[in-house]
Amino acid sequence: MYELINIFIRAIFIENVIFAFFLGMCSFLAVSKKIKTASGLGLAVIFVMVLTTPLNYFILNYMLGEGALAWIHPSLASVDLTFLAFILFISTIAGAVQLVEMSVEKFMPALYASLGIFLPLITVNCSILGTSLFMQERQYTFAETAVFSLGAGVGFFLAIVLLAAIRERLRYSNVPQPLQGLGIAMIITALMGLAFLSFSGIKL
Amino acid sequence: MNEEEQLMSEEEQLTTVREEATTVTPSVVPVKKREALFSKKNVQTLRDPLDDSNPVTVQVLGICSALAVTVQMKPALIMALGVTFVVAFSNLIVSMLRRTIPTRIRIIVQLIIVAMLVTIVDQLLKAYMFDISKKLSVFVGLIITNCIVMGRLEAFALAQRPWPAFLDGIGNGLGYGLILLVVAFFRELFGAGTLFGFKVVPQWAYDMGYVNNGLMVLPPAALFVIGIYIWWQRSRNRKLINAS
């Protein structure tokens, strides 16, 4: 149980997808102009992350991994399809996002109106695929995978809302003109990354 | 106009391009005179992404990998070549299929084409350059979700003929590679005192008390370098200040 809590905390702070691995930067920089839209995207990312990473866990462990096909027939135990992981992971993510988009559009139009544009964007958010690939690399169990994906999603949410808050305040400061916008956003992200580095010394 | 509005307008542009791409019916293609392979427009398509519409510093695409693989120049070069290959050929294939892909599921179709190409790159690297492949780790797989690939597919390849789309892919890959190499140059020079693995900072400098800058090895250093590059680029080319 302690191990699960540790993974959760680690995924949010110490191994934050944005500040420790710099995954999902594109949407992080492009959609962090206002806190409202930023938190909308953050929530959508949490949702998709929690949905797809465990799904990919099952695909990896019952279809792709070495000997994973043994449940069909013992003679298949030597088959190793791990090299197909990219294609299947990304198809799961794209398919899940498309399904979520269609069902939200049909059953919750109000939520769709506020999340609508972000949902397709999430497919190409590297942090989602990155989380699945880390799950594969670290060989998590199912419970660990579920907790890890939730933590990674919350970490993304936290990071994007923090940056949006800073950028909203930035309007009142006198930044050199060529540096305005993207340039200063990069430098702020770098400074925030340095701040988050201080978590890395913590042993859990 | 501040940057937020511009980003907004860029997003709108992207969506309108997308809509145009989806509403084009196959029957209304005007018969055009054959263009020369390297006509002025095509060369423009190839050259623009190197500076004026650079994917990293102007279009804000593909930043994640630009940060992670730029500690040394050699992995950066390999990564740039891999991305160029994937962007160019996925642009080509999607552009050839653009009339047959149903719009509702186009993202899945595009991703599968991209994933196929990335798997090829990954397997090639594992076979011939294993140590580099280890160094790049998950980031080869993440070329699939590199926004440059999807961004160019959505914004360009879905609405253009195969040859310009291919050139656009090459151009954007090279523009991305340019930034990668610039960032890697500074990070390797100041972080480790080497370039492409060769020692550049002489031993007597270390003897006199010169120390490698440990900050340059950390990922945030890449953000600083890109930020300063953007600063330099926009103060040199003022029209970019409002362009993105």
Side-chain angles (χ1 to χ4, degrees):
Chain A
M1 189 62 207
Y2 268 129
E3 183 55 27
L4 292 183
I5 296 173
N6 283 352
I7 286 179
F8 184 66
I9 305 271
R10 242 194 344 246
I12 295 178
F13 293 107
I14 305 173
E15 294 172 351
N16 188 298
V17 276
I18 296 280
F19 294 124
F21 297 110
F22 293 92
L23 296 176
M25 291 295 292
C26 313
S27 41
F28 177 71
L29 287 172
V31 192
S32 58
K33 294 155 285 184
K34 295 201 180 65
I35 294 185
K36 212 172 156 221
T37 46
S39 55
L41 179 75
L43 286 178
V45 166
I46 296 182
F47 185 66
V48 173
M49 202 108 91
V50 172
L51 191 72
T52 56
T53 317
L55 214 57
N56 281 337
Y57 172 83
F58 285 119
I59 288 186
L60 182 71
N61 284 284
Y62 293 100
M63 275 171 73
L64 295 179
E66 202 174 349
L69 285 173
W71 58 275
I72 298 180
H73 193 272
S75 64
L76 292 171
S78 59
V79 178
D80 182 5
L81 294 175
T82 330
F83 68 95
L84 287 177
F86 292 158
I87 292 194
L88 275 175
F89 281 3
I90 198 67
S91 329
T92 325
I93 293 169
V97 169
Q98 201 101 45
L99 271 181
V100 168
E101 191 189 350
M102 286 197 254
S103 51
V104 169
E105 188 179 6
K106 181 114 182 34
F107 299 113
M108 288 172 278
L111 183 66
Y112 182 77
S114 60
L115 280 186
I117 28 164
F118 300 128
L119 279 171
L121 262 181
I122 290 175
T123 316
V124 287
N125 189 324
C126 346
S127 55
I128 310 266
L129 183 64
T131 311
S132 284
L133 291 177
F134 279 128
M135 175 269 295
Q136 179 192 12
E137 203 178 279
R138 298 177 188 167
Q139 302 180 329
Y140 281 144
T141 65
F142 178 69
E144 286 170 345
T145 303
V147 171
F148 175 66
S149 59
L150 180 64
V154 172
F156 184 88
F157 177 83
L158 182 75
I160 197 168
V161 170
L162 281 178
L163 182 69
I166 294 180
R167 283 180 81 171
E168 277 195 359
R169 297 289 182 288
L170 215 60
R171 198 167 304 158
Y172 308 109
S173 46
N174 190 10
V175 179
Q177 214 192 5
L179 195 60
Q180 271 172 17
L182 186 57
I184 195 72
M186 292 256 182
I187 289 176
I188 288 173
T189 315
L191 292 173
M192 290 167 79
L194 286 181
F196 264 74
L197 270 181
S198 59
F199 284 116
S200 65
I202 299 172
K203 285 267 185 305
L204 275 178
Chain B
M1 198 152 92
N2 65 11
E3 197 249 353
E4 291 161 17
E5 287 161 10
Q6 284 136 23
L7 269 176
M8 269 311 202
S9 66
E10 206 173 60
E11 273 162 25
E12 275 161 22
Q13 264 175 18
L14 269 181
T15 47
T16 49
V17 170
R18 208 171 292 160
E19 275 156 18
E20 274 165 25
T22 56
T23 50
V24 164
T25 50
S27 55
V28 292
V29 185
V31 183
K32 253 204 238 159
K33 228 175 75 188
R34 200 161 249 287
E35 244 181 299
L37 273 191
F38 286 99
S39 64
K40 211 169 175 187
K41 206 173 116 224
N42 283 344
V43 173
Q44 191 79 16
T45 314
L46 186 64
R47 214 182 44 200
D48 254 8
L50 286 181
D51 193 18
D52 282 0
S53 64
N54 188 291
V56 178
T57 59
V58 181
Q59 301 177 54
V60 209
L61 297 174
I63 295 170
C64 338
S65 52
L67 304 173
V69 299
T70 50
V71 180
Q72 289 162 338
M73 289 194 80
K74 208 168 156 204
L77 185 67
I78 303 285
M79 184 74 180
L81 291 179
V83 170
T84 310
F85 170 82
V86 173
V87 185
F89 281 93
S90 59
N91 258 2
L92 182 71
I93 296 174
V94 167
S95 172
M96 287 196 290
L97 293 176
R98 69 189 186 280
R99 300 200 201 293
T100 47
I101 300 175
T103 51
R104 242 231 109 123
I105 58 160
R106 71 178 187 287
I107 293 185
I108 302 184
V109 175
Q110 289 165 3
L111 281 175
I112 292 194
I113 292 170
V114 176
M116 177 195 77
L117 290 164
V118 170
T119 310
I120 294 175
V121 171
D122 186 44
Q123 298 289 319
L124 278 178
L125 281 181
K126 273 192 185 136
Y128 295 108
M129 286 180 261
F130 191 70
D131 50 327
I132 299 249
S133 153
K134 273 271 154 247
K135 225 173 247 165
L136 293 174
S137 77
V138 292
F139 288 95
V140 178
L142 289 175
I143 298 179
I144 301 173
T145 49
N146 191 318
C147 334
I148 295 181
V149 182
M150 280 306 280
R152 292 328 289 171
L153 288 181
E154 289 276 306
F156 200 88
L158 274 177
Q160 299 280 341
R161 283 178 306 141
W163 175 245
F166 183 70
L167 286 181
D168 180 76
I170 299 261
N172 276 286
L174 293 180
Y176 168 80
L178 175 75
I179 300 294
L180 235 60
L181 286 178
V182 168
V183 177
F185 175 80
F186 286 110
R187 286 183 74 185
E188 196 179 347
L189 182 63
F190 292 113
T194 56
L195 286 177
F196 282 107
F198 295 110
K199 247 188 155 17
V200 174
V201 179
Q203 188 59 44
W204 55 261
Y206 288 106
D207 293 340
M208 282 167 65
Y210 175 80
V211 186
N212 286 330
N213 188 343
L215 175 68
M216 284 315 233
V217 182
L218 300 172
L223 282 168
F224 283 125
V225 178
I226 297 180
I228 293 167
Y229 184 91
I230 291 173
W231 192 357
W232 171 76
Q233 189 188 21
R234 289 189 186 178
S235 51
R236 191 180 49 113
N237 190 348
R238 291 235 151 218
K239 72 174 189 285
L240 285 180
I241 293 176
N242 286 330
S244 70

